[in-house]
Each structure stands twice: as structure tokens, then as C-alpha cells.
Amino acid sequence: MIQAVDRAVRVLGVLQGARSVPLSDIAARLGLAPSTVHGIVKTLQANGMVVQEAGSTRYRLGPVVLRLGNAYLGSLELRSRAFAWSAELAKRTGYAVRAGVPLPGEVMIVHHEPRPDGSRQMSEVGLVVPAHATALGKAVLAFSPGADPGELRSMTGETVTDLAVLRAELDDVRRDAVAAEQEEAVLGECGLASPVFDAADAVAGAIGVVVPLADWPVAGAVRVAVAETARTISRELGASRWPGPSA
């Protein structure tokens, strides 16, 4: 591992969690000398990845990070396949659709299909959510050998924070290939999701629906629609079977 690169990545990781962060706070969080962090930040700033707020020592992510993020999204085959099928899933179920890819202990939303009712909705693309507290994350964890769910932090009063309980849920997901969550990440919001596999039969991510609490539990037809969509996308990605190998 190249230390300078590792430190630069860690600086960006600190900045992703806030609108702006003072230089002293970045140094404290990373356990580095302020002079060391200053040199890293100035290098990132020169390359457009960090921006300094005028008249202060506070820094935030720069525009080049967005360009890299858009390039990453454009390169994801799962996302391109999800475009075609998520609209159909939203139409079949009446619910918003999310597709996500795994990060260590988390899932990043790479596609968001709004509810087909025409209501105003914010795009959730780029949102990062804890894997253990979401249907998307549970669908991925169940089929990721050796995956670490990370810290089981509480998001709401319904979040599963007991590892034994989570493992039991993942056993159910392996059996049914459909994961569920009820108000574990956001109050009033539930979800169903199924895993998506690639040509190597490895889990590439998951796709699912976002269900208002008032509509929970959903009809069996919704579960079938979610599973069929995940199976179709997996087939288009070259998976030889669905679901793929479990953890």
C-alpha cells in the first residue's frame, strides 16, 4: 500500500460525510499532523478534488469527484440493465425502485426509478445506506461469501442490531432470494429486494422496491415481481443461474 495515496483517500472519506470540514478536524479524525493533512489537501485541491471555502480553513469535496462519480455510474453494466427493467417493475408494483451495488458494510444506490404515480420525488442516486438495515443490503450480504456487515448501528428503533438475528434473516434470504426490511433505515419506509448476479455468478448488487408502511406487508405478487426482475437482469449480465452461490 502506498501511504500517500491511502492518506489522500482517507481525507476524501472524511469530507464525504459533511458539507465542509475544518483542516484541524480532518487531522484529528485521521490521527495525522495538521501539516501533513495540509499538504494532502492542497494537492487534492490543485487537482479539483477538494475546494477550500473562501476566507476559512474549511474544505469540501470538489467538482472532479462528481465527474469521477458520473464516469463510474456510466461504466456500471448493472445500472444500464436496471434502467430497462426498473421502470417495468415500478409499473407492475406501483412502487419506487432502487438498484444498488455493494460497498464494505454498505450499499450505494446507483439507480432510482420514481413511483409511477407522477408525484414529486427526489433522486436517491449516490445515496449510501447501511447494508444491515436495508433490503438491498441484506440481499447482497446473504450471497456474499465472507462479507462483513460492519457495525450494526441503529438507524431507527426497528433496526436489527443483533448479529445472531441478522444471520437468521440472511438464512431466510438465501432460501427465498428475497430480502425484506420494515422501517429499519427510515421510519415509514419498508422494502423488498432480490440479489443480482454477474457472469461469474458473483453477486453484483440488488434491485428492489420501496414500500410505504401503510402498504406493508405487500401482496405476494410484489415479491414475485421483484424476484423476476432480479433474475432477468442477472441473465442479461451473463449469470448461469439464479440465485447464485450463497455465503
Side-chain angles (χ1 to χ4, degrees), residues 105 130-134 138 141 149 151-154 159-160 166 184:
H132 72 283
T134 60
K138 292 176 183 180
L141 287 173
E151 178 189 357
L152 303 186
R153 65 184 187 276
S154 178
T159 308
V160 173
L166 178 62
E184 291 187 48

Side-chain angles (χ1 to χ4, degrees), residues 15-138:
L15 294 177
Q16 75 174 357
R19 292 182 61 87
S20 66
V21 183
L23 180 68
S24 58
D25 285 6
I26 300 173
R29 293 185 197 182
L30 298 181
L32 297 173
S35 58
T36 300
V37 173
H38 182 264
I40 295 170
V41 167
K42 286 302 181 182
T43 301
L44 292 171
Q45 183 180 0
N47 287 278
M49 300 190 74
V50 165
V51 174
Q52 182 178 6
E53 291 190 349
S56 76
T57 60
R58 302 180 69 92
Y59 294 86
R60 55 184 171 83
L61 294 178
V64 172
V65 175
L66 176 60
R67 187 173 67 190
L68 292 174
N70 287 335
Y72 168 71
L73 290 175
S75 70
L76 279 177
E77 191 174 2
L78 181 148
R79 184 172 185 257
S80 66
R81 300 294 181 179
F83 265 113
W85 292 104
S86 60
E88 178 64 23
L89 179 57
K91 182 178 179 181
R92 287 178 66 181
T93 64
Y95 300 123
V97 176
R98 292 171 175 162
V101 296
L103 298 173
E106 299 174 318
V107 172
M108 183 174 69
I109 309 302
V110 296
H111 180 61
H112 174 220
E113 185 70 32
R115 291 186 304 275
D117 60 7
S119 60
R120 186 176 181 180
Q121 300 162 65
M122 292 182 61
S123 173
E124 297 180 348
V125 174
L127 181 68
V128 176
V129 292
H132 72 283
T134 60
L136 288 175
K138 292 176 183 180

